Structures are given as C-alpha cells and as structure tokens.
Amino acid sequence: MTVKSLGNPYSSETDLRHGVDCGCAGCVTSAVEKQGGPDLSTSEGMLERAVESAIVRSVFGQSDIGRRSFMGMMGGTTMAAALASVFPMDQAKAAILDNLGPPEKTDLNIGFVPITCATPIIMAQPLGFYERYGLNAQVIKTAGWAVARDKSLNGEYDASHMLTPMPLAMTLGAGSIAEPYIMPAVENINGQAIVLSNEHLDKRDPTQWKGFTFGVPFEYSMHNFLLRYYVAEFGLDPDVDIQIRVVPPPEMVANLRAGNLDGYLSPDPFNQRAVFEGIGFIHLLTKEIWEGHPCCAFAAPLSFAQELPNTYGALLKSIIDATQYASAAENRKEISEAIAPTNYLNQPVTVIEQVLTGTYADGLGEVQRVPDRIDFDPFPWHSMGVWILTQMKRWGYIEGDVDYKAVAEQVYLAADCKKVMEDLGYEAPDVTYKSHTIMGKTFDYNEPEAYVDSFAIKKG
C-alpha cells in the first residue's frame, strides 16, 4: 500500500498529490501539529488518515485543485460536517481498519543478536507465533549491533531486534545516517548484569575500578548508559577513569578469559556463561540499578509500517503475543529449550534456564533466586525513551536542543502497542509516561534538561 500525502484532506493548504516522503516547504509546514485529525505517530492513525483522504478525494473526482478551491471557499469544518451528514465516515474508516486483509508480504527476514533479550523474536519462529498470524518469518542470527543496524538500513532485514536506544539514535542520525525508525514494542525488561573477572574478587567496591577496561555491546545501548550511570554515582568519570570498549556479545566471555576485559555489562546468557566457564562472577544485576529498565525491542523503518500496514500489524501481533507468553514463568523452561539450538543462541540449555528462571549460580559460591532477573513486557513507555535521550545528551552522543518528548513519541509507538495488547486480550497502561527511580534518584520526565544538568559528572 503506497500512501499519498497524509495531510488534512479538509485543508485548502494541503497538496494531496504529494507523496508521504515529500520534503517540499508546503508539506513540511503541514506537519502533524498543524493537521488535526488522527494521531499520525501510529500506523492506525496513518491508515485512518489515508482512508479519510481517499474518500474525500473521490468526492472531488481525484481533482486536488478542485478540492483545495472548494475547501478555501467553504471551509474544511463545513465540508467535514456536510460529508458526515450523508456518508458514514467513521463507520467506513472503522470497517476498513478492522478488515485490512492478509499481509501484503508474508516472507520476512528478521535480524537478531543471539542473546536472551531477543527471546520473543527468536521463540516466535520455533513455537509458531509468526505462522499463527500468517507470516513466514525467518530469524537471522547477526554478529553484533552495528551489523544489525546496517543490514536494517540497507533493507536486508524487514525488521530487527534492536537495543531500545538504537531507533532513537537512528532517527536522529546519531552514529549513522538519519532514517525514521519506529519501535512499537519492547522485548525485555531487566536481564543484564555487571560481570567481573575472578581476578577481581577483592574489588567489589566500584571506587577501586580506576584503570579497568569494560565491555559493552554497543554505544547506543542501555548497557553503555547504565554502566556509565553506575560508575559515575561512585565518583568515576567513565570517559577518564575507566575504558569502555564495544564488544559483540558473543565475544565477551573470550575477551574476559584472555584478560582483554576486567569486566563487562552485557546481555545474557553471556553473564551466566562466564560463571559457567569459571572465569567470572556476577557483581550486580542491572535491575538493582533500575528496576524494570528496558533493554531490547522490536524495531523497523517507518516506511515498513507505511507501505506494508497489514504485514506490520501481523508482525507486531506475533511479537507482542510471544512477549506475553515469555512473561509467564511456567513457560520459561520450554522456551529455554526452544532457543538453545545452534541456529539461535547456541548455548547449553542449563545456562539459558538459569537466566530465564532466575535461579542461578552467581560465581561467588551462592545460588540466587531472582524470578524477575529478566522479564518481558512489550509496552514502550515514552518516559523511558526520554530518559535514554537524557543520557545520550549527558554523555555527548547528541548535542544542541532536543525535544525529548517529541522524539520519544515519534519513535516509541505506545498507541500501536496498546491497541494490539488489548486486541489480544492483554491489559495495557492508559498512560505513556511515569516516573522512574534509578539508583535512588527519581527521574522527572517533565524536566529532562534539568535532569541532565543535575549531574556533576558528564561530558564537558
């Protein structure tokens, strides 16, 4: 489905002959805030506007000049009321939106990095969630996040498992070319840890970590931002007092064994694998830094949702349904076996079970029982996106004025997630912002710039 201009069809200033990607001055100034009508930050809103626009254009015989002239003389409000009196516009839009038909494209390539955070995207293939919604999706193992980003940008992947900061960064052009991306669903919350080499059993106090080298899986990752936040709270400048290296997750354990890293903040199962191999211990679960923090997500180019709305809807249903299935503790052992094989995580089932069930050896001689060591909740809170943007600003990954809420709301499609969750019979929040507490400090999403300024340690 190709969509013409998503501008207001009742406005005399909107040129509906222009495509959705048109960058001319008229289309740019007819942006969402001037249009009124449905929320164009969601795929449902875009489809509703497209249906409405098609109906209005048909009234004027597809003559946009005639439509604009009429709207200029009569006024859009008058025309909308007149059309509604003789044509059931709302019912027509609802009928079309509820009967979008089968996916336009069923064969999909979906990238993933082999970590337990990708559990919903991976398990949806062997456990049949994609097939349930009419898709023949192939999940493709990817070495690291830079590769996942680049393959998504060049169209090799239709959608991808990404870190929650990535679609924000890609939309802003931080670290890559700017390309509008959407993130309609989070995959997991919690699920990371700080691991230290067994050589540092006597250095549990982070103030002793000066000169240490740590691995993180990507610059635009919760791992990087949580590690920076954590050490800074202990008085260390992460750009001066320690070294942070980007290391693909599957290479973390080997680098720890070789002495190239003193520790890492990594996704699982590589934290638990270090314990399994007898070379490291779990210093801290990241849920102790921020309980319920987001980590990974399902993301896609905005164009994917615009051009293939039925496919996008089916894929989102698959992911959210799988995420909810993974959130149930009684399903975790079955899932561990499903995602362990070579073409997925390529890890011993016992290692994955320790992560997903939360009953695990910590490398310090104890068995811990933390059922929510990792959990699965698809809702993409806008406040989480704002927090991530504050850390990107704090550490110099983005500069200048940032409209934190506007960017978060453009990328994190909470309305899409809420609708699908409710369609599938799951409860969804009625709000998209909430306060978060990180190491005892409350984050006020209404004052993001003041929050950035409140930190003594940040990029100069």
Side-chain angles (χ1 to χ4, degrees):
M1 173 181 175
T2 15
V3 183
K4 286 291 188 182
S5 172
L6 296 179
N8 187 346
Y10 299 110
S11 170
S12 62
E13 298 179 2
T14 304
D15 191 336
L16 299 182
R17 298 170 299 176
H18 291 200
V20 68
D21 295 323
C22 181
C24 78
C27 289
V28 170
T29 56
S30 292
V32 171
E33 64 271 17
K34 296 184 67 177
Q35 290 303 310
D39 180 3
L40 302 188
S41 68
T42 71
S43 62
E44 183 181 4
M46 289 186 287
L47 289 168
E48 185 177 338
R49 172 54 60 80
V51 171
E52 187 176 44
S53 181
I55 293 170
V56 173
R57 287 202 310 270
S58 69
V59 170
F60 291 92
Q62 303 299 324
S63 170
D64 203 55
I65 294 174
R67 179 195 63 82
R68 294 177 70 181
S69 176
F70 186 88
M71 297 301 176
M73 290 187 295
M74 298 293 295
T77 304
T78 301
M79 177 58 190
L83 186 58
S85 69
V86 297
F87 186 85
M89 180 71 81
D90 288 342
Q91 291 92 324
K93 289 189 291 187
I96 293 172
L97 290 171
D98 288 341
N99 296 279
L100 290 174
E104 301 90 348
K105 178 181 180 181
T106 55
D107 294 341
L108 300 178
N109 291 325
I110 303 172
F112 76 93
V113 174
I115 58 178
T116 48
C117 302
T119 292
I121 281 179
I122 298 170
M123 60 170 265
Q125 182 170 330
L127 297 185
F129 284 87
Y130 296 127
E131 186 179 5
R132 177 181 300 176
Y133 296 99
L135 300 173
N136 177 34
Q138 300 299 313
V139 293
I140 302 171
K141 187 187 293 190
T142 310
W145 297 111
V147 177
R149 176 196 62 199
D150 294 345
K151 284 181 177 290
S152 185
L153 284 168
N154 68 25
E156 290 183 53
Y157 294 159
D158 296 287
S160 186
H161 160 216
M162 288 190 179
L163 300 159
T164 47
M166 287 176 64
L168 295 167
M170 293 163 75
T171 296
L172 293 172
S176 68
I177 60 170
E179 177 75 21
Y181 263 69
I182 55 172
M183 194 193 86
V186 170
E187 287 193 79
N188 73 295
I189 55 175
N190 300 331
Q192 328 301 313
I194 296 176
V195 165
L196 293 179
S197 165
N198 282 341
E199 295 182 2
H200 301 307
L201 284 164
D202 59 339
K203 295 184 176 65
R204 299 298 306 280
D205 183 347
T207 61
Q208 301 173 293
W209 294 356
K210 278 193 175 183
F212 275 25
T213 299
F214 284 91
V216 297
F218 198 57
E219 283 191 305
Y220 299 97
S221 68
M222 286 299 295
H223 314 82
N224 184 27
F225 298 140
L226 289 175
L227 177 62
R228 287 171 170 274
Y229 193 105
Y230 182 72
V231 299
E233 289 296 293
F234 286 91
L236 301 183
D237 186 329
D239 292 314
V240 176
D241 296 320
I242 63 173
Q243 185 178 6
I244 299 177
R245 292 182 185 171
V246 172
V247 179
E251 298 175 18
M252 291 285 189
V253 173
N255 275 277
L256 191 70
R257 179 185 287 110
N260 299 327
L261 298 175
D262 295 288
Y264 51 74
L265 200 160
S266 170
D268 271 307
F270 302 104
N271 305 307
Q272 201 60 47
R273 188 65 190 254
V275 175
F276 182 80
E277 298 286 345
I279 60 171
F281 64 93
I282 294 175
H283 167 74
L284 182 86
L285 298 180
T286 51
K287 71 184 293 291
E288 298 174 56
I289 300 174
W290 175 2
E291 175 65 61
H293 70 80
C295 182
C296 290
F298 156 60
L302 175 60
S303 58
F304 177 75
Q306 291 174 334
E307 296 169 10
L308 302 169
N310 301 351
T311 301
Y312 164 71
L315 183 55
L316 182 54
K317 284 184 177 181
S318 303
I319 298 298
I320 288 178
D321 210 3
T323 303
Q324 293 288 9
Y325 188 82
S327 70
E330 62 269 21
N331 298 327
R332 300 284 178 89
K333 288 194 174 183
E334 174 198 11
I335 293 168
S336 298
E337 293 182 5
I339 65 178
T342 306
N343 53 326
Y344 300 135
L345 294 190
N346 192 26
Q347 295 289 331
V349 172
T350 183
V351 170
I352 300 171
E353 278 190 4
Q354 289 186 67
V355 174
L356 294 187
T357 65
T359 299
Y360 63 94
D362 62 8
L364 296 168
E366 300 292 335
V367 173
Q368 304 293 338
R369 288 172 176 81
V370 186
D372 60 349
R373 172 180 176 169
I374 186 171
D375 211 344
F376 301 92
D377 182 350
F379 194 74
W381 291 91
H382 289 146
S383 47
M384 289 178 171
V386 172
W387 185 88
I388 291 169
L389 290 166
T390 66
Q391 300 309 292
M392 290 170 66
K393 181 74 176 290
R394 177 185 181 182
W395 301 114
Y397 291 98
I398 53 177
E399 298 177 347
D401 294 333
V402 180
D403 192 336
Y404 296 90
K405 285 189 174 181
V407 175
E409 291 171 16
Q410 175 188 345
V411 177
Y412 285 18
L413 301 190
D416 279 18
C417 186
K418 176 180 172 65
K419 182 180 186 305
V420 171
M421 288 177 72
E422 291 177 342
D423 286 349
L424 295 174
Y426 303 120
E427 291 186 9
D430 291 324
V431 296
T432 63
Y433 287 91
K434 64 178 180 178
S435 295
H436 305 285
T437 302
I438 298 92
M439 293 185 71
K441 184 173 183 176
T442 300
F443 167 58
D444 183 354
Y445 55 81
N446 287 312
E447 298 291 341
E449 201 64 44
Y451 183 72
V452 174
D453 292 339
S454 71
F455 294 104
I457 299 176
K458 54 181 178 288
K459 199 78 168 179

